[in-house]
């Protein structure tokens, strides 16, 4: 059967929405973060200090959306923001100790989400699915 006969787009949308809702709820309870904020914080922790543009590119978001998110992370004292030495027009984001603590609190909720996936997709199918999803992302980027 084809993708359209299986209604894959519809199914992917429903699964993605429900996974995000569950993850957002669990992350809010454990770390006070949304999934988008956790993703941004992870990028800042791994690659920081980084510009807002860098985070926006990694998340495939507009820089204005990342600026709003950065403002929330700043207000929560999860990051700091300073003018870039290399480009005075850009802001550089650095994770704070409180942000590192918040990141350590996201492991369990994401573990629970991954457990749902692992219980419902065997290793071989997970490999094929991951390859297929990466191929779709690459095709959409062309």
């Amino acid at each position: 059967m084809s993708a359209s006969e299986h209604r894959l787009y519809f199914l992917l949308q429903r699964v993605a929405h429900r996974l995000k809702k569950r993850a957002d709820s669990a992350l809010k309870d454990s770390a006070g973060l949304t999934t988008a904020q956790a993703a941004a914080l992870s990028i800042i922790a791994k690659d920081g200090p980084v510009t807002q543009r860098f985070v926006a590119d990694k998340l495939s978001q507009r820089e204005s959306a990342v600026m709003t998110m950065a403002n929330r992370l700043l207000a929560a004292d999860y990051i700091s923001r300073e003018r870039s030495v290399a480009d005075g027009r850009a802001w550089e984001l650095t994770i704070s100790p409180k942000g590192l603590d918040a990141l350590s609190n996201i492991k369990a909720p994401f573990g629970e989400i991954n457990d749902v996936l692992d219980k419902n997709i065997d290793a071989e199918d997970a490999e094929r699915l991951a390859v297929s999803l990466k191929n779709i992302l690459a095709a959409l980027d062309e």
Side-chain angles (χ1 to χ4, degrees):
M1 289 179 93
S2 70
S4 63
E5 289 171 319
H6 280 291
R7 300 180 66 199
L8 287 183
Y9 177 79
F10 175 71
L11 290 171
L12 286 168
Q13 285 291 95
R14 286 184 62 206
V15 169
H17 178 72
R18 289 174 88 180
L19 284 170
K20 185 178 181 320
K21 279 181 65 174
R22 183 175 288 190
D24 276 340
S25 176
L27 288 176
K28 183 93 80 194
D29 292 344
S30 68
L33 295 168
T34 65
T35 53
Q37 291 168 337
L41 206 53
S42 294
I43 291 165
I44 296 165
K46 179 179 177 277
D47 298 314
V50 295
T51 64
Q52 292 177 169
R53 161 68 46 212
F54 180 85
V55 176
D57 289 345
K58 286 280 192 175
L59 295 175
S60 298
Q61 296 286 326
R62 291 185 316 271
E63 193 169 354
S64 60
V66 171
M67 184 176 68
T68 300
M69 189 183 324
N71 287 337
R72 288 188 181 123
L73 294 171
L74 275 165
D77 195 30
Y78 289 151
I79 62 170
S80 63
R81 178 169 61 190
E82 295 182 14
R83 284 284 179 199
S84 168
V85 174
D87 180 357
R89 299 167 298 167
W91 291 99
E92 287 188 338
L93 309 175
T94 305
I95 194 160
S96 70
K98 187 175 177 184
L100 288 172
D101 287 343
L103 274 184
S104 70
N105 292 330
I106 70 171
K107 290 179 182 161
F110 276 123
E112 292 171 15
I113 296 295
N114 284 320
D115 284 346
V116 170
L117 296 173
D118 288 340
K119 287 178 183 171
N120 291 283
I121 306 171
D122 66 39
E124 189 175 298
D125 286 342
E127 177 70 25
R128 280 196 302 270
L129 178 59
V131 168
S132 294
L133 292 173
K134 289 175 186 176
N135 289 341
I136 292 167
L137 285 171
L140 292 170
D141 285 342
E142 291 178 355

